[in-house]
Amino acid sequence: MDDNPDIENELPERAYEMDANLVDNVLSFIETQDKNGLVTLFDQYHAADIADLFEQIDPTSRSALIQLWGKEIDGEVFAEMDEGLSGELIEEMSDELVSQVLKDLETDDVVDLVEDLEKSEQNRVIEVLDTTDQIAVLNSLKYPEGTAGRLMARELVMAPTHWSVGQAIDNLRKSKTLPQQFYDIIVIDPMSKPIGKIALSTLLRAQRSTQLVELIDEEFRTIPVLQSQEDVAYAFNQYNMVSAPVVDEENRLVGVITMDDAMEVLGDEADEDIKLLAGVGDESLTDTILVTVRQRFPWLGLNLITSIFASIVIAQFSSTIEAIVALAVLMPIVASMGGNAGTQTLTVAVRALATKDLTSANALRVIRREALVGLLNGLIFAIIIGFIGYYWYGFPMLGIVLAVAMILNLLMAGLAGILVPLVLDKFNLDPALGSSALVTTFTDVIGFFAFLGLAAAILL
Amino acid sequence: MDDNPDIENELPERAYEMDANLVDNVLSFIETQDKNGLVTLFDQYHAADIADLFEQIDPTSRSALIQLWGKEIDGEVFAEMDEGLSGELIEEMSDELVSQVLKDLETDDVVDLVEDLEKSEQNRVIEVLDTTDQIAVLNSLKYPEGTAGRLMARELVMAPTHWSVGQAIDNLRKSKTLPQQFYDIIVIDPMSKPIGKIALSTLLRAQRSTQLVELIDEEFRTIPVLQSQEDVAYAFNQYNMVSAPVVDEENRLVGVITMDDAMEVLGDEADEDIKLLAGVGDESLTDTILVTVRQRFPWLGLNLITSIFASIVIAQFSSTIEAIVALAVLMPIVASMGGNAGTQTLTVAVRALATKDLTSANALRVIRREALVGLLNGLIFAIIIGFIGYYWYGFPMLGIVLAVAMILNLLMAGLAGILVPLVLDKFNLDPALGSSALVTTFTDVIGFFAFLGLAAAILL
């Protein structure tokens, strides 16, 4: 019973949030150059939390922290860090410190760490590795970025088809080169081709005399080494896989991908979609101000160009606006509603494409659906905005013009929101990339043109 | 060598995409009422792919498919389906078919399936279960939706502290109530409190005589049964966990959560953020048109209200616009740039809050950073738009008014983009919910007010 208060303390309202105390303590250890205090404190935290700490403090403190930590440095922390940041820190570290970092890491983590470095810096880091690891890392780097070849680990647990459960377990006990954690044994034929896998939980429950082939999991999928990491993540998520063997063009086993890697990719991909839709690149809070300005500039520039398009449309109706200023007051409503409706459809479409729920098999049905949704919402809001326009300026025809423009724009918004990502996807472009700007330009242009054009035709 | 063509066939340009042939085949089996053909075809597919197939065909075909599949129905398919859809299908199924579906599922999947059903329908489904499962499901449903209690499985693999490796393995071989897959053994004390866990890969490598306590993983985390599923997913991702014991308020073991459940939540949460930012609820392509219209309506309604705010601001400057129509032409540019810049900042902030990279420890630094980024981009685009305004209308002061309004609006956009989600989060509201509408209203109002106000003061 008296455990209760303790448990309450372990359950803060915000679980897992970096505590400000940790940050303060680390900063004061840096100030007093208290290395022992720092090492003792860090011992109580997971590498991922220390990586987060690095992301939370300013660049000067980061360098000072690396210096103070020195040879006690934990390489795992760099594997957990945002890639841009780990690269920056590696660049300012001595060869000695770099080798300290690398010796804690498995080769797939080293690949992750060096792949974004500049060529000369990459070479410096790789030279610090011992020869076996050098070869493994250089081999992985031969595969294109973003493929299974870069994700996979080369530490494998495999067994030939003719072994029994007992032989497999005895060999596991003897082996000295196993990965830290593994979940399956891959069964291979004499040509090194994987023919199935056995979950450790199955292996443990079987009798020692059972033959491995009898236990093979029938739901067995291999990952081609050149498959994109999005597809790898999709497969893990879709088929609830914990690990999967990676094979080369000749179907020979070359590596293994585990769920933690796939989970990271899955998170990254969703993150990328969100950010691309909002017109931000692969940016993080640790980027400097100038880097951020430079990253956001092209998207704002694109938006400037597209909004100038909309202005050119408005400019064609200058004399109409001069005659009825109410049009200038009301026109942003039509454009804004269209932009919003278009973004709704676009977002649903981009996510459905990412999860492969939207395919050529149902595209036509979805297009029709979005057009109808746009039309129906257009009708509803046409009635509302029609009355508002009428009462605001006491001018029934203005209400009717607003209403008709609203219907047209929401219908077109629905169509643009679904067609733009489908067309981008058809041409193998990322449907999230720039589609937001395209759709809102379209709805702005249609919105202003429909409203002002109708006004010019009917009201003047 | 002659394997090569095969492998090429296994590597279509679009891996894992539902093939249209499958859909066509199933539809033709329905037409000819060819049950054997259907069952043989489905045997070759993973339950998750059959679930996707259900999502791709229209509602009438879905019902026909269920009827044809009949008693051969595979319950796993329903666990993989979009929740809204599985609920709809269950509602139209006979008790006999429902029990056929349920007998293939573990209790956490049953909970997932029934939690969104209406009360009466929920009772009907639960009554079909056998008594042990009924109790387990009802117990899970006692925990609030979206907590660890709902996610966890009750099938546990545990061992007391005093066992050796050999005893543990022998007991695993004897046990008949183990979950299908598991990755760890949870070691518990006599009070049922988990004191550590052992990965199966560690257990397999150890000698039979080794005591379990010697193998316990020191990085051991328990999940409180009332913890939110977002936090559970965060912990799995942050600490690379494969499974975690769930404990009640007295710290006693009550269940276990595995990575596949956490991965699903992680994907759902990112999806939710994207959709909330775009003003769409939890909608999917299988929703009917009317449901979709109803779901999108409130967001469009909110947008209507906020855009009317912007119009009211414009209306204050009617006489200014009447005097200089160029203002009506150019004003959407300022507003649109502000909206875009605000959305960029907002999106980065929402994601950083979700990944706990943005906390009270670094909030001030991030706010300052966003203000500076806004200011710098404001200066750059002020120069560009200033010249455009000047050349377009040959009127230098118009360019200056545009430039100053641009600086002000991008600065304020940066501030709104970071402050709105921070404030929502402070009040424990979802920072993605409605923040998009708040930020763009803010930038529209500031944009129109700054531009038209400056114009009225300077140009008239």
Side-chain angles (χ1 to χ4, degrees):
Chain A
M1 264 299 132
D2 56 11
D3 277 339
N4 255 332
D6 281 351
I7 310 256
E8 295 280 323
N9 285 335
E10 282 168 33
L11 261 175
E13 202 181 317
R14 315 215 149 198
Y16 308 118
E17 187 169 298
M18 164 97 3
D19 56 300
N21 282 339
L22 172 63
V23 179
D24 291 344
N25 282 335
V26 168
L27 292 180
S28 82
F29 287 142
I30 292 175
E31 203 160 327
T32 58
Q33 288 290 302
D34 181 355
K35 180 166 176 159
N36 286 338
L38 183 76
V39 172
T40 315
L41 181 70
F42 276 0
D43 272 349
Q44 299 160 38
Y45 285 87
H46 188 282
D49 289 329
I50 301 177
D52 283 349
L53 169 82
F54 268 94
E55 288 165 16
Q56 301 243 334
I57 60 183
D58 64 79
T60 326
S61 308
R62 279 175 209 146
S63 308
L65 179 54
I66 296 268
Q67 291 312 317
L68 179 62
W69 208 5
K71 295 187 72 169
E72 306 300 317
I73 209 160
D74 174 8
E76 288 287 338
V77 170
F78 290 79
E80 300 284 350
M81 225 175 257
D82 191 85
E83 276 157 39
L85 181 57
S86 60
E88 270 172 46
L89 294 176
I90 291 274
E91 268 172 47
E92 52 179 68
M93 279 161 64
S94 67
D95 286 0
E96 199 189 6
L97 273 187
V98 170
S99 84
Q100 196 68 27
V101 166
L102 296 180
K103 81 174 176 38
D104 293 331
L105 298 180
E106 295 196 356
T107 52
D108 56 329
D109 289 327
V110 176
V111 170
D112 224 33
L113 204 61
V114 302
E115 64 182 0
D116 291 324
L117 294 178
E118 281 179 31
K119 200 71 200 155
S120 63
E121 191 58 23
Q122 203 174 73
N123 290 337
R124 180 176 83 100
V125 174
I126 292 173
E127 270 167 34
V128 171
L129 292 168
D130 64 43
T131 324
T132 342
D133 286 352
Q134 268 184 19
I135 294 169
V137 169
L138 288 172
N139 270 334
S140 282
L141 288 174
K142 279 186 200 146
Y143 297 109
E145 208 170 334
T147 60
R150 290 279 182 105
L151 273 187
M152 70 188 182
R154 285 155 178 282
E155 293 85 0
L156 292 166
V157 185
M158 45 195 177
T161 41
H162 57 81
W163 276 6
S164 68
V165 169
Q167 278 174 295
I169 293 180
D170 293 343
N171 269 283
L172 284 176
R173 292 215 177 108
K174 268 185 282 178
S175 173
K176 286 185 168 39
T177 58
L178 294 177
Q180 285 176 357
Q181 278 244 359
F182 55 96
Y183 315 106
D184 307 281
I185 291 190
I186 303 163
V187 180
I188 52 169
D189 74 6
M191 304 292 289
S192 263
K193 294 184 186 174
I195 61 155
K197 62 176 191 176
I198 302 169
L200 294 189
S201 54
T202 309
L203 193 73
L204 264 172
R205 273 182 283 184
Q207 299 300 321
R208 282 184 62 89
S209 56
T210 311
Q211 287 296 303
L212 290 186
V213 279
E214 294 170 36
L215 300 178
I216 282 177
D217 184 2
E218 49 186 38
E219 273 192 21
F220 168 65
R221 279 161 208 277
T222 57
I223 304 273
V225 72
L226 291 177
Q227 186 162 83
S228 76
Q229 60 175 16
E230 289 97 314
D231 284 338
V232 173
Y234 176 82
F236 269 80
N237 197 20
Q238 174 85 344
Y239 304 118
N240 296 328
M241 303 196 288
V242 180
S243 79
V246 181
V247 294
D248 66 11
E249 293 76 10
E250 264 102 57
N251 212 13
R252 284 177 313 224
L253 184 64
V254 290
V256 65
I257 295 178
T258 46
M259 203 182 201
D260 51 328
D261 300 314
M263 190 162 179
E264 209 179 309
V265 173
L266 197 77
D268 287 352
E269 294 298 326
D271 218 59
E272 197 183 291
D273 273 359
I274 301 186
K275 289 184 175 165
L276 284 180
L277 280 174
V280 268
D282 182 20
E283 102 174 35
S284 88
L285 290 185
T286 57
D287 293 336
T288 63
I289 290 174
L290 283 180
V291 167
T292 310
V293 168
R294 212 184 306 138
Q295 278 179 328
R296 293 191 194 169
F297 179 84
W299 301 93
L300 289 171
L302 179 66
N303 186 62
L304 181 66
I305 295 168
T306 64
S307 64
I308 288 173
F309 265 111
S311 288
I312 292 173
V313 173
I314 300 172
Q316 310 313 308
F317 298 95
S318 295
S319 58
T320 320
I321 294 172
E322 213 158 1
I324 313 165
V325 178
L327 298 178
V329 173
L330 298 172
M331 68 184 184
I333 298 179
V334 179
S336 159
M337 291 296 283
N340 205 304
T343 305
Q344 288 181 328
T345 301
L346 172 65
T347 304
V348 173
V350 164
R351 289 309 293 161
L353 283 167
T355 55
K356 303 190 200 267
D357 289 336
L358 174 56
T359 67
S360 47
N362 64 350
L364 270 178
R365 199 157 54 83
V366 174
I367 294 170
R368 206 186 54 210
R369 188 185 95 115
E370 289 302 330
L372 280 171
V373 169
L375 193 63
L376 281 175
N377 264 326
L379 283 168
I380 298 169
F381 284 101
I383 295 168
I384 300 173
I385 194 67
F387 276 105
I388 292 175
Y390 168 37
Y391 281 111
W392 195 339
Y393 285 96
F395 186 8
M397 283 313 283
L398 183 61
I400 290 173
V401 167
L402 258 176
V404 176
M406 184 70 85
I407 295 174
L408 279 175
N409 204 22
L410 289 204
L411 170 63
M412 296 311 282
L415 284 173
I418 183 75
L419 289 174
V420 166
L422 276 176
V423 169
L424 287 174
D425 185 59
K426 202 85 195 159
F427 288 103
N428 277 316
L429 296 166
D430 188 328
L433 184 66
S435 49
S436 213
L438 276 173
V439 170
T440 50
T441 306
F442 189 82
T443 53
D444 275 357
V445 167
I446 296 278
F448 290 133
F449 187 80
F451 179 56
L452 297 174
L454 282 168
I458 297 174
L459 302 182
L460 286 191
Chain B
M1 264 300 135
D2 55 11
D3 276 342
N4 255 332
D6 282 354
I7 309 255
E8 294 280 322
N9 285 338
E10 282 169 33
L11 260 175
E13 200 180 321
R14 316 215 148 198
Y16 309 117
E17 186 168 300
M18 164 97 5
D19 57 299
N21 281 339
L22 172 63
V23 179
D24 292 343
N25 281 336
V26 168
L27 293 181
S28 81
F29 287 141
I30 293 175
E31 204 158 327
T32 57
Q33 289 289 303
D34 180 355
K35 180 167 175 157
N36 286 338
L38 182 77
V39 172
T40 315
L41 181 71
F42 276 181
D43 271 349
Q44 299 159 38
Y45 285 89
H46 189 282
D49 289 329
I50 301 176
D52 283 349
L53 169 82
F54 268 95
E55 288 165 18
Q56 301 245 336
I57 60 182
D58 65 81
T60 327
S61 309
R62 278 175 209 146
S63 309
L65 180 54
I66 296 266
Q67 291 313 317
L68 179 63
W69 207 5
K71 293 187 75 169
E72 307 300 317
I73 210 160
D74 175 8
E76 287 288 338
V77 170
F78 290 78
E80 300 284 350
M81 228 176 255
D82 191 84
E83 276 158 38
L85 181 58
S86 60
E88 270 171 45
L89 295 177
I90 291 274
E91 269 172 45
E92 51 180 70
M93 279 160 65
S94 68
D95 285 1
E96 198 189 7
L97 273 188
V98 170
S99 86
Q100 196 67 27
V101 166
L102 296 180
K103 80 172 176 41
D104 293 330
L105 298 179
E106 298 197 352
T107 52
D108 55 331
D109 289 328
V110 177
V111 170
D112 224 34
L113 203 62
V114 301
E115 65 182 0
D116 292 324
L117 295 178
E118 278 178 35
K119 200 71 201 153
S120 63
E121 190 58 25
Q122 203 174 74
N123 289 338
R124 179 175 83 101
V125 173
I126 292 172
E127 271 168 32
V128 171
L129 291 167
D130 64 45
T131 325
T132 343
D133 286 353
Q134 267 184 19
I135 294 170
V137 170
L138 288 172
N139 270 334
S140 280
L141 287 173
K142 278 185 200 145
Y143 296 108
E145 208 172 334
T147 60
R150 289 279 181 103
L151 273 187
M152 70 188 184
R154 286 156 177 284
E155 293 85 0
L156 292 168
V157 185
M158 46 195 175
T161 41
H162 57 82
W163 276 6
S164 67
V165 169
Q167 278 175 295
I169 292 180
D170 292 343
N171 269 283
L172 285 176
R173 292 216 175 107
K174 268 184 283 178
S175 172
K176 287 188 167 35
T177 59
L178 294 178
Q180 284 175 357
Q181 278 245 358
F182 55 95
Y183 316 106
D184 306 279
I185 291 190
I186 303 162
V187 180
I188 51 169
D189 74 6
M191 304 292 289
S192 263
K193 294 183 186 174
I195 61 153
K197 63 177 189 175
I198 302 170
L200 294 189
S201 54
T202 308
L203 193 74
L204 265 172
R205 273 182 283 184
Q207 299 300 321
R208 282 182 65 87
S209 57
T210 311
Q211 287 295 305
L212 289 186
V213 278
E214 295 170 36
L215 299 177
I216 281 176
D217 184 2
E218 49 186 39
E219 273 191 20
F220 169 65
R221 281 160 205 279
T222 56
I223 304 274
V225 72
L226 292 176
Q227 186 162 84
S228 76
Q229 60 175 16
E230 289 98 314
D231 283 337
V232 172
Y234 176 82
F236 269 79
N237 198 21
Q238 173 86 345
Y239 304 118
N240 296 327
M241 304 196 289
V242 180
S243 77
V246 181
V247 294
D248 67 10
E249 292 76 10
E250 263 106 54
N251 212 12
R252 283 177 314 223
L253 185 63
V254 289
V256 65
I257 295 178
T258 46
M259 204 183 202
D260 52 326
D261 299 314
M263 192 163 177
E264 207 178 312
V265 173
L266 197 77
D268 287 352
E269 293 298 326
D271 218 59
E272 197 183 288
D273 272 358
I274 302 187
K275 290 183 175 165
L276 283 180
L277 280 174
V280 267
D282 183 19
E283 94 171 41
S284 88
L285 290 185
T286 56
D287 292 336
T288 63
I289 291 174
L290 283 181
V291 167
T292 310
V293 168
R294 211 183 308 136
Q295 276 178 330
R296 294 193 193 168
F297 179 84
W299 301 93
L300 288 170
L302 179 65
N303 187 62
L304 180 67
I305 296 168
T306 66
S307 64
I308 289 172
F309 266 112
S311 288
I312 293 172
V313 172
I314 301 172
Q316 309 314 307
F317 298 96
S318 295
S319 58
T320 319
I321 293 172
E322 214 157 1
I324 313 167
V325 178
L327 298 178
V329 174
L330 297 171
M331 69 184 185
I333 298 179
V334 179
S336 158
M337 290 295 284
N340 205 305
T343 305
Q344 287 182 327
T345 301
L346 172 66
T347 304
V348 173
V350 164
R351 289 309 293 162
L353 283 167
T355 55
K356 303 191 201 265
D357 289 336
L358 174 57
T359 66
S360 47
N362 64 349
L364 271 178
R365 200 158 53 82
V366 174
I367 294 170
R368 206 186 53 211
R369 189 184 93 114
E370 290 301 330
L372 280 170
V373 169
L375 193 62
L376 281 175
N377 266 325
L379 283 168
I380 297 169
F381 284 101
I383 295 170
I384 300 173
I385 195 67
F387 276 104
I388 292 175
Y390 168 36
Y391 281 110
W392 194 341
Y393 286 95
F395 185 8
M397 283 313 282
L398 183 62
I400 290 173
V401 167
L402 258 177
V404 176
M406 183 70 84
I407 296 174
L408 279 175
N409 204 22
L410 291 205
L411 171 63
M412 297 310 282
L415 283 172
I418 184 75
L419 289 173
V420 165
L422 276 175
V423 169
L424 288 173
D425 185 61
K426 204 84 196 162
F427 287 104
N428 277 318
L429 297 166
D430 188 329
L433 184 66
S435 49
S436 212
L438 277 173
V439 169
T440 51
T441 307
F442 190 81
T443 55
D444 275 357
V445 166
I446 296 279
F448 291 132
F449 187 79
F451 179 57
L452 297 174
L454 281 167
I458 296 176
L459 302 182
L460 287 189

